[in-house]
């Protein structure tokens, strides 16, 4: 894309120069041959500039389309993760078996939410464009959160809790207060993660709405959101079925 932009700039500059030379030759009546030659060069360069400009517009639309789809995918992943975390919190409150809780954490890790590189990979292509501020904001926003680390922290805390329970079954060494304190610690980590994820979901939706000011997708956000929430509902149903077993 950047190559096409540079090509347009260079060919237009050369086209203007060749046209100016042709006009000077015409004014001074130097040579019809060189005048026609410069006009031919001008025409060729103009065609090359138009082709490069069309390619630039096409690539730009393609890149913006990819970014728009990635933002929607990340919003879906974030909403799905929110459902899983809500289910985890409910199970911790009701003292559900840690095996089921850990299984849900595995589902959360598979959601693999929020990978900044997927969305920001083409940021440099727009450094001097009118959407520079949007991409700068998006870049800073995505680099501020590490949801995979947060989910990993939940898994570690739950793993330690599961080990304590297993050790207690073999040889009682932790009293109920100690186990409850560990459960509360897990719940605290979970609550912070869920709150942060909810904020991220809200911010992602705002980013999608802003994105559509620069890019007009075939399927607008209002319609895409219905599909996204249907997918989230599918995950929620699967979790409910898991807990009923």
């Amino acid at each position: 894309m950047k190559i096409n932009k540079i090509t347009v700039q260079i060919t237009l500059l050369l086209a203007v120069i060749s046209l100016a030379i042709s006009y000077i030759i015409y004014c001074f009546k130097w040579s019809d041959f060189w005048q026609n030659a410069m006009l031919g060069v001008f025409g060729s360069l103009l065609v090359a500039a138009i082709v490069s400009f069309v390619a630039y517009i096409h690539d730009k639309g393609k890149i913006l389309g990819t970014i728009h789809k990635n933002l929607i995918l990340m919003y879906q992943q974030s909403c799905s993760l929110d459902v899983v975390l809500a289910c985890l919190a409910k199970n911790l409150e009701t003292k559900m078996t840690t095996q089921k809780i850990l299984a849900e954490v595995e589902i959360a890790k598979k959601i693999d939410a929020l990978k900044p590189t997927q969305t920001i990979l083409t940021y440099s292509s727009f450094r001097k464009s009118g959407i520079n501020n949007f991409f700068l904001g998006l870049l800073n926003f995505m680099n501020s959160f590490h949801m995979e680390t947060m989910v990993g922290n939940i898994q570690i805390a739950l793993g330690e809790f599961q080990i304590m329970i297993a050790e207690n079954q073999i040889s009682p060494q932790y009293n109920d207060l100690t186990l409850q304190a560990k459960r509360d610690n897990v719940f605290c980590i979970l609550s912070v993660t869920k709150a942060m994820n909810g904020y991220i979901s809200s911010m992602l939706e705002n980013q999608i709405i802003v994105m559509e000011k620069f890019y007009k997708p075939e399927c607008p956000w209002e319609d895409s959101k219905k599909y996204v929430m249907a997918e989230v509902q599918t995950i929620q149903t699967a979790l409910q079925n898991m807990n009923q077993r």
Side-chain angles (χ1 to χ4, degrees):
M1 178 175 165
K2 193 175 292 184
I3 293 175
N4 288 326
K5 186 175 182 180
I6 294 171
T7 302
V8 171
Q9 293 170 343
I10 293 174
T11 51
L12 280 178
L13 177 62
L14 293 176
V16 170
I17 292 172
S18 62
L19 183 63
I21 293 172
S22 177
Y23 180 73
I24 292 170
I25 294 173
Y26 169 76
C27 289
F28 287 93
K29 308 291 183 181
W30 286 342
S31 170
D32 290 341
F33 171 78
W34 287 111
Q35 179 189 345
N36 293 331
M38 286 298 102
L39 285 174
V41 171
F42 166 75
S44 300
L45 289 170
L46 188 61
V47 170
I50 292 172
V51 171
S52 297
F53 180 73
V54 171
Y56 171 79
I57 295 297
H58 176 265
D59 288 345
K60 182 178 178 180
K62 192 174 180 180
I63 289 171
L64 290 176
T66 300
I67 294 171
H68 184 263
K69 288 178 182 177
N70 282 332
L71 280 173
I72 291 177
L73 176 61
M74 292 160 71
Y75 178 81
Q76 179 178 322
Q77 291 171 335
S78 186
C79 289
S80 299
L81 183 59
D82 196 61
V83 168
V84 175
L85 294 176
C87 193
L88 274 168
K90 181 179 178 181
N91 289 344
L92 275 172
E93 286 181 322
T94 57
K95 292 183 170 59
M96 184 167 282
T97 59
T98 51
Q99 284 79 6
K100 283 189 176 182
I101 295 173
L102 285 167
E104 287 167 354
V105 172
E106 285 301 317
I107 293 176
K109 291 202 78 175
K110 287 176 183 176
I111 289 173
D112 200 20
L114 306 183
K115 287 203 171 181
T117 52
Q118 289 183 339
T119 301
I120 314 301
L121 56 92
T122 53
Y123 159 71
S124 60
S125 300
F126 297 94
R127 279 180 187 162
K128 297 180 180 178
S129 75
I131 57 176
N132 178 51
N133 290 334
F134 170 77
F135 280 95
L136 270 176
L138 184 59
L139 181 68
N140 293 332
F141 167 68
M142 296 310 305
N143 286 340
S144 300
F145 303 102
H146 305 280
M147 287 304 300
E148 290 179 67
T149 302
M150 294 182 188
V151 173
N153 290 338
I154 296 173
Q155 188 179 42
I156 291 170
L158 278 170
E160 292 172 352
F161 183 42
Q162 186 186 37
I163 290 171
M164 289 175 65
I165 291 176
E167 289 175 346
N168 241 30
Q169 290 174 344
I170 298 172
S171 173
Q173 47 187 308
Y174 305 108
N175 58 35
D176 289 343
L177 285 176
T178 303
L179 290 173
Q180 185 58 46
K182 188 64 179 177
R183 184 187 290 272
D184 290 343
N185 176 56
V186 176
F187 190 77
C188 181
I189 296 172
L190 177 63
S191 298
V192 171
T193 305
K194 189 175 185 307
M196 185 63 72
N197 187 65
Y199 173 71
I200 289 172
S201 298
S202 175
M203 289 298 293
L204 279 168
E205 183 168 15
N206 289 337
Q207 297 284 10
I208 294 169
I209 293 171
V210 173
M211 180 74 198
E212 291 193 354
K213 292 181 180 179
F214 307 113
Y215 171 74
K216 302 299 179 186
E218 294 180 7
C219 183
W221 172 235
E222 291 78 9
D223 297 331
S224 297
K225 189 174 182 180
K226 294 176 184 177
Y227 172 77
V228 166
M229 298 317 296
E231 292 293 313
V232 174
Q233 182 63 42
T234 300
I235 292 176
Q236 190 170 29
T237 302
L239 287 171
Q240 289 172 350
N241 293 336
M242 179 192 295
N243 289 330
Q244 289 172 356
R245 293 173 187 168

